């Protein structure tokens, strides 16, 4: 795709989106919050504490132990002369939350505010006003219940029940929303308003490549129940992808369940493709092959993401002496993402019952997807863009203003359950291109939109 004006189409889309981005300078609160997050992630002691916590999570037996570890690591990071002030504040906040005491200090409140930026509420009920407000502003949502990497079988059961309750709550809340054609039909059929993203590692403990059959069986049963409920409520169930060691188990489970005649006509469901994995093209071809062989009347969504477990994958590869499964060079990764975007949109244009969802905060990647979709002659509603709450809010506003569909991924839950999620977001926050775009104009913007 070059030499035929396609690149100038990409730049035109990029400029169009950038013009719609709220200027960062006009929002001092957002700037201050961003600076604070940069301080947090730039603080080596705090970063080390958070990483250690995320590492030790799977070995904890229960939530009490989890909270103790978090405390311990944060206290360590906070201690001594060179201690981290942010770790001290975070530690006090976690303590108060775990003990269910009201947060008192202004510093603790500042950290809570940071979490609030990413987390929409304690549960679907608390997040409901915001979900409704997003819909009124022309944006649809997917809800994510925090609490991945479940520690016990009982916790997996509780998570599954929370998922079921959330689906019901979403169906109830969204039934009162006004009609919004762009958000409700993509030319392949109706798009359900209730939309839940599920992490399989939250449904069962110790989900790994060599997971005990019992663990997979429990996940299977729970996913089956959720698929049945989603069909009954006319909701969309999206299965998130996590670290690479669980990809094969998750994919096998999802495709197996969706291949059964029971789910031929619903519910609407989908999976995630992580572009940073160097073998993701083969994975995509596998998914498309499955789709061709199992034509369901309910279209299948593939959400293309860059991938959020980069640090984990690199560390695992180094520890085991494996070749890195992820691109380590940013340009190659972005180039691959664009290649996968085109493959997905081509497949849709070929007539597969496929819903491509392009999830990114990179302005160039989004502009490329829109330009390619136009080039294929796809209708504006055929492509969906997705962003994360807190990181992609401005981008979402720009996409809506440009008349395209955007879905906002909204996590709900508490700070302890959400810590791994927050750490992933802190790492991403330092490289958020749409934020840069809001501050650049002219030549600088063109540079940001350059072909990777
Ligand atoms: C994550 O949990 C957004 O699913 C992605 O990091």
């Amino acid at each position: 795709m070059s030499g035929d004006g396609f690149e100038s189409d990409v730049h035109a889309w990029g400029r169009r989106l950038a013009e719609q981005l709220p200027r960062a300078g006009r929002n001092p609160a957002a700037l201050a919050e961003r600076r604070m997050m940069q301080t947090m992630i730039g603080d080596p002691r705090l970063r080390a504490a958070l990483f250690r916590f995320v590492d030790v999570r799977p070995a904890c037996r229960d939530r009490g132990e989890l909270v103790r570890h978090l405390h311990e690591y944060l206290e360590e990071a906070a201690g001594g002369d060179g201690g981290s002030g942010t770790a001290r504040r975070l530690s006090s906040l976690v303590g108060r939350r775990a003990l269910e005491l009201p947060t008192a200090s202004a510093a603790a409140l500042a950290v809570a505010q940071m979490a609030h930026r990413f987390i929409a509420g304690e549960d679907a009920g608390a997040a409901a006003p915001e979900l409704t407000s997003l819909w009124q502003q022309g944006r649809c949502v997917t809800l994510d219940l925090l609490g991945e990497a479940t520690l016990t079988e009982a916790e997996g059961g509780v998570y599954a029940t929370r998922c079921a309750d959330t689906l019901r709550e979403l169906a109830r809340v969204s039934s009162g929303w006004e009609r919004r054609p762009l958000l409700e039909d993509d030319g392949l059929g109706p798009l359900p308003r209730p939309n839940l993203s599920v992490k399989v590692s939250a449904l069962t403990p110790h989900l790994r490549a060599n997971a005990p059959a019992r663990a997979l069986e429990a996940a299977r049963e729970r996913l089956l129940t959720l698929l049945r409920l989603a069909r009954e409520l006319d909701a969309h169930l999206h299965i998130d992808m996590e670290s690479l060691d669980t990809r094969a188990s998750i994919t096998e489970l999802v495709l197996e369940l969706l291949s059964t005649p029971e789910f031929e006509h619903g519910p609407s469901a989908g999976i995630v493709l992580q572009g940073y994995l160097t073998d993701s093209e083969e994975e995509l071809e596998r998914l498309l092959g499955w789709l061709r062989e199992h034509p369901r009347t309910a279209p299948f969504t593939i959400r293309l993401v860059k991938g959020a477990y980069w640090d984990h994958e690199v560390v695992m590869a180094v520890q085991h002496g494996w070749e890195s499964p992820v691109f380590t060079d940013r340009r190659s990764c972005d180039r691959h993402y664009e290649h996968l975007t085109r493959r997905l949109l081509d497949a849709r244009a070929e007539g597969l019952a496929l819903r491509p969802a392009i999830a990114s905060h990179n302005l160039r990647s989004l502009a490329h997807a829109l330009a390619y979709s136009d080039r294929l002659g796809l209708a504006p509603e055929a492509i969906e863009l997705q962003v994360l709450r807190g990181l992609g809010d401005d981008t979402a506003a720009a996409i809506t203003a440009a008349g395209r569909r955007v879905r906002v991924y909204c996590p709900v839950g508490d700070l302890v359950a959400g810590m791994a999620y927050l750490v992933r977001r802190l790492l991403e926050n330092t490289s958020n291109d749409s934020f840069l775009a809001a501050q650049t104009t002219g030549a600088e913007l063109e540079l940001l939109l350059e072909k990777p």
Side-chain angles (χ1 to χ4, degrees):
M1 269 284 148
S2 60
D4 57 359
F6 179 65
E7 270 307 304
S8 56
D9 295 348
V10 175
H11 281 241
W13 255 117
R15 281 192 298 273
R16 195 169 153 192
L17 290 176
E19 275 161 21
Q20 306 285 355
L21 284 170
R23 294 277 144 205
R26 289 189 204 146
N27 187 350
L31 264 182
E33 206 177 281
R34 189 180 167 84
R35 257 198 299 274
M36 179 179 136
M37 287 176 59
Q38 266 161 348
T39 315
M40 279 178 85
I41 209 59
D43 177 338
R45 295 184 67 161
L46 175 64
R47 212 170 49 205
L50 294 175
F51 278 134
R52 279 174 74 196
F53 170 69
V54 172
D55 268 356
V56 83
R57 264 186 66 98
C60 294
R61 281 187 307 268
D62 54 34
R63 192 185 151 94
E65 201 172 318
L66 209 60
V67 172
R68 271 196 304 283
H69 273 296
L70 183 53
H71 245 316
E72 186 189 311
Y73 294 157
L74 290 174
E75 296 265 292
E76 260 177 55
D81 286 346
S84 154
T86 321
R88 243 186 321 270
R89 298 196 286 272
L90 203 50
S91 165
S92 100
L93 179 71
V94 168
R96 285 171 197 283
R97 294 286 284 238
L99 299 169
E100 294 178 352
L101 292 173
T103 50
S105 79
L109 278 173
V111 180
Q113 219 170 16
M114 196 270 304
H116 180 72
R117 173 187 162 120
F118 295 107
I119 304 175
E122 292 268 327
D123 54 28
E130 181 173 337
L131 307 182
T132 300
S133 151
L134 283 168
W135 183 269
Q136 283 164 351
Q137 293 167 59
R139 279 155 243 173
C140 45
V141 292
T142 182
L143 217 76
D144 160 57
L145 298 183
L146 294 165
E148 63 209 69
T150 278
L151 307 172
T152 64
E153 202 52 58
E155 262 186 18
V158 170
Y159 185 86
T161 307
R162 279 172 62 212
C163 285
D165 292 345
T166 303
L167 278 173
R168 287 194 198 91
E169 177 69 5
L170 284 174
R172 192 188 64 74
V173 170
S174 64
S175 66
W177 294 346
E178 68 192 31
R179 228 187 104 52
R180 291 208 167 259
L182 178 65
L183 308 184
E184 304 203 61
D185 201 312
D186 68 346
L188 284 179
L191 289 163
R193 291 177 178 184
N195 186 314
L196 181 69
S197 291
V198 173
K199 287 196 169 60
V200 180
S201 77
L203 290 175
T204 190
H206 314 306
L207 178 77
R208 289 288 169 266
N210 54 357
R214 200 165 37 83
L216 287 179
E217 196 45 41
R220 192 179 184 285
E221 279 308 307
R222 287 171 183 150
L223 208 50
L224 188 67
T225 308
L226 290 176
L227 284 167
R228 285 183 178 140
L229 182 64
R231 192 186 45 198
E232 192 187 308
L233 296 170
D234 202 5
H236 175 88
L237 198 68
H238 210 93
I239 316 303
D240 275 353
M241 220 28 99
E242 305 176 57
S243 51
L244 178 60
D245 51 356
T246 61
R247 183 180 69 179
S249 313
I250 294 175
T251 310
E252 206 174 303
L253 188 61
V254 173
L255 299 191
E256 181 220 311
L257 287 173
L258 291 180
S259 303
T260 58
E262 179 179 0
F263 297 122
E264 194 183 325
H265 304 296
S268 167
I271 208 166
V272 171
L273 183 73
Q274 296 163 312
Y276 67 179
L277 293 173
T278 53
D279 72 352
S280 45
E281 184 174 7
E282 290 155 43
E283 191 64 14
L284 174 58
E285 293 309 328
R286 192 176 153 221
L287 293 173
L288 296 178
W290 170 80
L291 203 53
R292 284 193 189 93
E293 282 166 29
H294 298 86
R296 302 171 70 238
T297 49
F300 185 64
T301 305
I302 299 182
R303 177 197 294 154
L304 174 64
V305 303
K306 188 167 96 192
Y309 299 77
W310 194 90
D311 297 81
H312 172 84
E313 303 300 1
V314 170
V315 169
M316 290 295 279
V318 169
Q319 266 175 15
H320 291 89
W322 297 330
E323 208 177 299
S324 168
V326 292
F327 286 101
T328 45
D329 163 58
R330 182 173 166 173
R331 283 180 90 89
S332 315
C333 191
D334 289 350
R335 217 169 20 244
H336 194 63
Y337 188 93
E338 293 191 0
H339 176 68
L340 296 172
T341 301
R342 293 195 294 272
R343 280 298 296 127
L344 268 174
L345 293 169
D346 284 343
R348 166 71 192 248
E350 277 163 29
L352 269 186
L354 169 72
R355 296 183 151 148
I358 309 300
S360 175
H361 301 119
N362 182 324
L363 202 68
R364 157 80 201 190
S365 304
L366 295 173
H368 166 272
L370 291 166
Y372 193 71
S373 171
D374 287 352
R375 172 133 309 204
L376 291 175
L378 290 173
E381 64 274 16
I383 179 173
E384 176 166 303
L385 306 179
Q386 296 191 358
V387 299
L388 300 178
R389 179 189 195 268
L391 266 188
D393 301 338
D394 292 348
T395 310
I399 297 167
T400 309
R404 297 305 179 109
R405 183 171 65 253
V406 62
R407 187 175 304 278
V408 183
Y409 187 99
C410 295
V412 297
D414 68 26
L415 191 61
V416 175
M419 200 50 85
Y421 183 91
L422 285 177
V423 170
R424 291 198 292 277
R425 299 295 83 78
L426 281 172
L427 289 172
E428 278 169 2
N429 192 57
T430 41
S431 59
N432 186 348
D433 294 321
S434 63
F435 183 82
L436 289 176
Q439 303 184 74
T440 51
T441 46
E444 283 169 339
L445 179 64
E446 296 302 314
L447 268 180
L448 209 60
L449 293 172
E450 247 183 19
K451 190 174 177 185

PDB file of all heavy atoms in Angstrom, residues 193-217:
ATOM      1  N   ARG A 193     -26.192  -3.917  23.078  1.00  0.00           N
ATOM      2  CA  ARG A 193     -25.744  -2.830  23.964  1.00  0.00           C
ATOM      3  C   ARG A 193     -24.940  -3.359  25.146  1.00  0.00           C
ATOM      4  O   ARG A 193     -23.900  -2.817  25.470  1.00  0.00           O
ATOM      5  CB  ARG A 193     -26.954  -2.047  24.476  1.00  0.00           C
ATOM      6  CG  ARG A 193     -27.636  -1.239  23.395  1.00  0.00           C
ATOM      7  CD  ARG A 193     -28.864  -0.553  23.964  1.00  0.00           C
ATOM      8  NE  ARG A 193     -29.509   0.258  22.947  1.00  0.00           N
ATOM      9  CZ  ARG A 193     -30.558   1.024  23.180  1.00  0.00           C
ATOM     10  NH1 ARG A 193     -31.080   1.071  24.402  1.00  0.00           N
ATOM     11  NH2 ARG A 193     -31.092   1.732  22.212  1.00  0.00           N
ATOM     12  N   PRO A 194     -25.445  -4.394  25.850  1.00  0.00           N
ATOM     13  CA  PRO A 194     -24.635  -4.918  26.965  1.00  0.00           C
ATOM     14  C   PRO A 194     -23.426  -5.655  26.390  1.00  0.00           C
ATOM     15  O   PRO A 194     -23.577  -6.480  25.492  1.00  0.00           O
ATOM     16  CB  PRO A 194     -25.571  -5.910  27.670  1.00  0.00           C
ATOM     17  CG  PRO A 194     -26.908  -5.771  27.016  1.00  0.00           C
ATOM     18  CD  PRO A 194     -26.713  -5.125  25.698  1.00  0.00           C
ATOM     19  N   ASN A 195     -22.252  -5.321  26.905  1.00  0.00           N
ATOM     20  CA  ASN A 195     -21.029  -5.906  26.358  1.00  0.00           C
ATOM     21  C   ASN A 195     -20.048  -6.112  27.523  1.00  0.00           C
ATOM     22  O   ASN A 195     -19.715  -5.165  28.228  1.00  0.00           O
ATOM     23  CB  ASN A 195     -20.457  -4.936  25.310  1.00  0.00           C
ATOM     24  CG  ASN A 195     -19.266  -5.496  24.556  1.00  0.00           C
ATOM     25  OD1 ASN A 195     -18.364  -6.062  25.153  1.00  0.00           O
ATOM     26  ND2 ASN A 195     -19.269  -5.310  23.249  1.00  0.00           N
ATOM     27  N   LEU A 196     -19.654  -7.367  27.732  1.00  0.00           N
ATOM     28  CA  LEU A 196     -18.774  -7.678  28.867  1.00  0.00           C
ATOM     29  C   LEU A 196     -17.496  -8.344  28.374  1.00  0.00           C
ATOM     30  O   LEU A 196     -17.541  -9.257  27.547  1.00  0.00           O
ATOM     31  CB  LEU A 196     -19.507  -8.628  29.835  1.00  0.00           C
ATOM     32  CG  LEU A 196     -18.732  -9.029  31.093  1.00  0.00           C
ATOM     33  CD1 LEU A 196     -18.554  -7.847  32.036  1.00  0.00           C
ATOM     34  CD2 LEU A 196     -19.454 -10.164  31.829  1.00  0.00           C
ATOM     35  N   SER A 197     -16.357  -7.880  28.864  1.00  0.00           N
ATOM     36  CA  SER A 197     -15.077  -8.519  28.545  1.00  0.00           C
ATOM     37  C   SER A 197     -14.664  -9.386  29.726  1.00  0.00           C
ATOM     38  O   SER A 197     -14.681  -8.927  30.871  1.00  0.00           O
ATOM     39  CB  SER A 197     -13.998  -7.458  28.291  1.00  0.00           C
ATOM     40  OG  SER A 197     -14.274  -6.782  27.085  1.00  0.00           O
ATOM     41  N   VAL A 198     -14.292 -10.624  29.431  1.00  0.00           N
ATOM     42  CA  VAL A 198     -14.012 -11.581  30.508  1.00  0.00           C
ATOM     43  C   VAL A 198     -12.575 -12.090  30.403  1.00  0.00           C
ATOM     44  O   VAL A 198     -12.089 -12.369  29.306  1.00  0.00           O
ATOM     45  CB  VAL A 198     -14.982 -12.786  30.387  1.00  0.00           C
ATOM     46  CG1 VAL A 198     -14.621 -13.875  31.371  1.00  0.00           C
ATOM     47  CG2 VAL A 198     -16.414 -12.336  30.626  1.00  0.00           C
ATOM     48  N   LYS A 199     -11.931 -12.230  31.548  1.00  0.00           N
ATOM     49  CA  LYS A 199     -10.593 -12.830  31.558  1.00  0.00           C
ATOM     50  C   LYS A 199     -10.717 -14.254  32.094  1.00  0.00           C
ATOM     51  O   LYS A 199     -11.187 -14.465  33.213  1.00  0.00           O
ATOM     52  CB  LYS A 199      -9.642 -12.005  32.420  1.00  0.00           C
ATOM     53  CG  LYS A 199      -9.254 -10.693  31.737  1.00  0.00           C
ATOM     54  CD  LYS A 199      -8.051 -10.051  32.356  1.00  0.00           C
ATOM     55  CE  LYS A 199      -7.512  -8.907  31.517  1.00  0.00           C
ATOM     56  NZ  LYS A 199      -8.452  -7.799  31.276  1.00  0.00           N
ATOM     57  N   VAL A 200     -10.283 -15.218  31.281  1.00  0.00           N
ATOM     58  CA  VAL A 200     -10.458 -16.617  31.670  1.00  0.00           C
ATOM     59  C   VAL A 200      -9.630 -16.939  32.925  1.00  0.00           C
ATOM     60  O   VAL A 200     -10.033 -17.749  33.748  1.00  0.00           O
ATOM     61  CB  VAL A 200     -10.108 -17.570  30.500  1.00  0.00           C
ATOM     62  CG1 VAL A 200     -10.281 -19.022  30.909  1.00  0.00           C
ATOM     63  CG2 VAL A 200     -11.011 -17.265  29.310  1.00  0.00           C
ATOM     64  N   SER A 201      -8.508 -16.241  33.109  1.00  0.00           N
ATOM     65  CA  SER A 201      -7.676 -16.517  34.303  1.00  0.00           C
ATOM     66  C   SER A 201      -8.391 -16.088  35.580  1.00  0.00           C
ATOM     67  O   SER A 201      -7.945 -16.405  36.678  1.00  0.00           O
ATOM     68  CB  SER A 201      -6.325 -15.807  34.203  1.00  0.00           C
ATOM     69  OG  SER A 201      -6.470 -14.432  34.497  1.00  0.00           O
ATOM     70  N   ALA A 202      -9.489 -15.343  35.441  1.00  0.00           N
ATOM     71  CA  ALA A 202     -10.260 -14.963  36.621  1.00  0.00           C
ATOM     72  C   ALA A 202     -11.327 -16.014  36.925  1.00  0.00           C
ATOM     73  O   ALA A 202     -11.869 -16.055  38.021  1.00  0.00           O
ATOM     74  CB  ALA A 202     -10.917 -13.610  36.404  1.00  0.00           C
ATOM     75  N   LEU A 203     -11.612 -16.850  35.932  1.00  0.00           N
ATOM     76  CA  LEU A 203     -12.665 -17.855  36.117  1.00  0.00           C
ATOM     77  C   LEU A 203     -12.145 -19.122  36.766  1.00  0.00           C
ATOM     78  O   LEU A 203     -12.906 -19.937  37.278  1.00  0.00           O
ATOM     79  CB  LEU A 203     -13.294 -18.217  34.763  1.00  0.00           C
ATOM     80  CG  LEU A 203     -14.154 -17.140  34.097  1.00  0.00           C
ATOM     81  CD1 LEU A 203     -14.602 -17.609  32.722  1.00  0.00           C
ATOM     82  CD2 LEU A 203     -15.367 -16.799  34.954  1.00  0.00           C
ATOM     83  N   THR A 204     -10.828 -19.303  36.693  1.00  0.00           N
ATOM     84  CA  THR A 204     -10.259 -20.524  37.253  1.00  0.00           C
ATOM     85  C   THR A 204      -8.812 -20.267  37.687  1.00  0.00           C
ATOM     86  O   THR A 204      -8.107 -19.516  37.026  1.00  0.00           O
ATOM     87  CB  THR A 204     -10.314 -21.678  36.219  1.00  0.00           C
ATOM     88  OG1 THR A 204      -9.981 -22.892  36.857  1.00  0.00           O
ATOM     89  CG2 THR A 204      -9.391 -21.447  35.048  1.00  0.00           C
ATOM     90  N   PRO A 205      -8.362 -20.865  38.786  1.00  0.00           N
ATOM     91  CA  PRO A 205      -6.978 -20.617  39.213  1.00  0.00           C
ATOM     92  C   PRO A 205      -5.976 -21.387  38.354  1.00  0.00           C
ATOM     93  O   PRO A 205      -6.309 -22.404  37.768  1.00  0.00           O
ATOM     94  CB  PRO A 205      -6.958 -21.121  40.657  1.00  0.00           C
ATOM     95  CG  PRO A 205      -8.101 -22.059  40.773  1.00  0.00           C
ATOM     96  CD  PRO A 205      -9.106 -21.719  39.721  1.00  0.00           C
ATOM     97  N   HIS A 206      -4.785 -20.868  38.322  1.00  0.00           N
ATOM     98  CA  HIS A 206      -3.649 -21.546  37.697  1.00  0.00           C
ATOM     99  C   HIS A 206      -3.889 -21.942  36.250  1.00  0.00           C
ATOM    100  O   HIS A 206      -3.642 -23.078  35.847  1.00  0.00           O
ATOM    101  CB  HIS A 206      -3.249 -22.790  38.501  1.00  0.00           C
ATOM    102  CG  HIS A 206      -3.175 -22.515  39.958  1.00  0.00           C
ATOM    103  ND1 HIS A 206      -2.410 -21.487  40.472  1.00  0.00           N
ATOM    104  CD2 HIS A 206      -3.802 -23.083  41.025  1.00  0.00           C
ATOM    105  CE1 HIS A 206      -2.547 -21.470  41.784  1.00  0.00           C
ATOM    106  NE2 HIS A 206      -3.403 -22.399  42.142  1.00  0.00           N
ATOM    107  N   LEU A 207      -4.423 -21.023  35.482  1.00  0.00           N
ATOM    108  CA  LEU A 207      -4.598 -21.298  34.060  1.00  0.00           C
ATOM    109  C   LEU A 207      -3.239 -21.166  33.383  1.00  0.00           C
ATOM    110  O   LEU A 207      -2.667 -20.089  33.322  1.00  0.00           O
ATOM    111  CB  LEU A 207      -5.579 -20.278  33.463  1.00  0.00           C
ATOM    112  CG  LEU A 207      -5.821 -20.426  31.974  1.00  0.00           C
ATOM    113  CD1 LEU A 207      -6.754 -21.579  31.685  1.00  0.00           C
ATOM    114  CD2 LEU A 207      -6.364 -19.135  31.395  1.00  0.00           C
ATOM    115  N   ARG A 208      -2.701 -22.247  32.920  1.00  0.00           N
ATOM    116  CA  ARG A 208      -1.396 -22.243  32.256  1.00  0.00           C
ATOM    117  C   ARG A 208      -1.426 -23.258  31.125  1.00  0.00           C
ATOM    118  O   ARG A 208      -2.367 -24.033  31.004  1.00  0.00           O
ATOM    119  CB  ARG A 208      -0.279 -22.643  33.250  1.00  0.00           C
ATOM    120  CG  ARG A 208       0.016 -21.595  34.295  1.00  0.00           C
ATOM    121  CD  ARG A 208       0.745 -20.404  33.680  1.00  0.00           C
ATOM    122  NE  ARG A 208       0.834 -19.269  34.581  1.00  0.00           N
ATOM    123  CZ  ARG A 208      -0.027 -18.258  34.626  1.00  0.00           C
ATOM    124  NH1 ARG A 208      -1.063 -18.256  33.836  1.00  0.00           N
ATOM    125  NH2 ARG A 208       0.138 -17.250  35.443  1.00  0.00           N
ATOM    126  N   ALA A 209      -0.356 -23.275  30.334  1.00  0.00           N
ATOM    127  CA  ALA A 209      -0.297 -24.220  29.216  1.00  0.00           C
ATOM    128  C   ALA A 209      -0.491 -25.642  29.729  1.00  0.00           C
ATOM    129  O   ALA A 209      -1.174 -26.458  29.122  1.00  0.00           O
ATOM    130  CB  ALA A 209       1.039 -24.080  28.516  1.00  0.00           C
ATOM    131  N   ASN A 210       0.117 -25.930  30.884  1.00  0.00           N
ATOM    132  CA  ASN A 210       0.003 -27.281  31.440  1.00  0.00           C
ATOM    133  C   ASN A 210      -0.981 -27.300  32.613  1.00  0.00           C
ATOM    134  O   ASN A 210      -0.766 -27.973  33.602  1.00  0.00           O
ATOM    135  CB  ASN A 210       1.372 -27.789  31.878  1.00  0.00           C
ATOM    136  CG  ASN A 210       2.052 -26.811  32.825  1.00  0.00           C
ATOM    137  OD1 ASN A 210       1.485 -25.737  33.082  1.00  0.00           O
ATOM    138  ND2 ASN A 210       3.205 -27.175  33.352  1.00  0.00           N
ATOM    139  N   ALA A 211      -2.031 -26.489  32.483  1.00  0.00           N
ATOM    140  CA  ALA A 211      -3.001 -26.387  33.570  1.00  0.00           C
ATOM    141  C   ALA A 211      -3.638 -27.744  33.825  1.00  0.00           C
ATOM    142  O   ALA A 211      -3.877 -28.518  32.892  1.00  0.00           O
ATOM    143  CB  ALA A 211      -4.084 -25.384  33.195  1.00  0.00           C
ATOM    144  N   PRO A 212      -3.909 -28.032  35.093  1.00  0.00           N
ATOM    145  CA  PRO A 212      -4.585 -29.300  35.380  1.00  0.00           C
ATOM    146  C   PRO A 212      -5.947 -29.335  34.679  1.00  0.00           C
ATOM    147  O   PRO A 212      -6.601 -28.297  34.552  1.00  0.00           O
ATOM    148  CB  PRO A 212      -4.755 -29.273  36.900  1.00  0.00           C
ATOM    149  CG  PRO A 212      -4.328 -27.926  37.367  1.00  0.00           C
ATOM    150  CD  PRO A 212      -3.635 -27.230  36.258  1.00  0.00           C
ATOM    151  N   ALA A 213      -6.323 -30.512  34.204  1.00  0.00           N
ATOM    152  CA  ALA A 213      -7.578 -30.646  33.456  1.00  0.00           C
ATOM    153  C   ALA A 213      -8.743 -30.078  34.263  1.00  0.00           C
ATOM    154  O   ALA A 213      -9.666 -29.474  33.713  1.00  0.00           O
ATOM    155  CB  ALA A 213      -7.817 -32.111  33.132  1.00  0.00           C
ATOM    156  N   ARG A 214      -8.653 -30.227  35.577  1.00  0.00           N
ATOM    157  CA  ARG A 214      -9.723 -29.773  36.461  1.00  0.00           C
ATOM    158  C   ARG A 214      -9.947 -28.256  36.327  1.00  0.00           C
ATOM    159  O   ARG A 214     -11.071 -27.772  36.291  1.00  0.00           O
ATOM    160  CB  ARG A 214      -9.327 -30.125  37.901  1.00  0.00           C
ATOM    161  CG  ARG A 214     -10.439 -30.175  38.906  1.00  0.00           C
ATOM    162  CD  ARG A 214      -9.961 -30.882  40.174  1.00  0.00           C
ATOM    163  NE  ARG A 214      -8.575 -30.582  40.528  1.00  0.00           N
ATOM    164  CZ  ARG A 214      -8.190 -29.496  41.205  1.00  0.00           C
ATOM    165  NH1 ARG A 214      -9.073 -28.624  41.607  1.00  0.00           N
ATOM    166  NH2 ARG A 214      -6.920 -29.306  41.489  1.00  0.00           N
ATOM    167  N   ALA A 215      -8.819 -27.530  36.236  1.00  0.00           N
ATOM    168  CA  ALA A 215      -8.907 -26.072  36.127  1.00  0.00           C
ATOM    169  C   ALA A 215      -9.598 -25.680  34.826  1.00  0.00           C
ATOM    170  O   ALA A 215     -10.478 -24.813  34.804  1.00  0.00           O
ATOM    171  CB  ALA A 215      -7.518 -25.453  36.185  1.00  0.00           C
ATOM    172  N   LEU A 216      -9.199 -26.348  33.732  1.00  0.00           N
ATOM    173  CA  LEU A 216      -9.810 -26.008  32.441  1.00  0.00           C
ATOM    174  C   LEU A 216     -11.281 -26.392  32.418  1.00  0.00           C
ATOM    175  O   LEU A 216     -12.114 -25.695  31.843  1.00  0.00           O
ATOM    176  CB  LEU A 216      -9.057 -26.695  31.307  1.00  0.00           C
ATOM    177  CG  LEU A 216      -7.682 -26.092  31.015  1.00  0.00           C
ATOM    178  CD1 LEU A 216      -6.979 -26.844  29.906  1.00  0.00           C
ATOM    179  CD2 LEU A 216      -7.817 -24.613  30.649  1.00  0.00           C
ATOM    180  N   GLU A 217     -11.593 -27.502  33.067  1.00  0.00           N
ATOM    181  CA  GLU A 217     -12.984 -27.962  33.109  1.00  0.00           C
ATOM    182  C   GLU A 217     -13.863 -26.942  33.849  1.00  0.00           C
ATOM    183  O   GLU A 217     -14.970 -26.623  33.415  1.00  0.00           O
ATOM    184  CB  GLU A 217     -13.034 -29.346  33.792  1.00  0.00           C
ATOM    185  CG  GLU A 217     -14.308 -30.119  33.574  1.00  0.00           C
ATOM    186  CD  GLU A 217     -14.804 -30.110  32.128  1.00  0.00           C
ATOM    187  OE1 GLU A 217     -13.984 -30.230  31.196  1.00  0.00           O
ATOM    188  OE2 GLU A 217     -16.020 -29.955  31.956  1.00  0.00           O
TER     189      GLU A 217
END
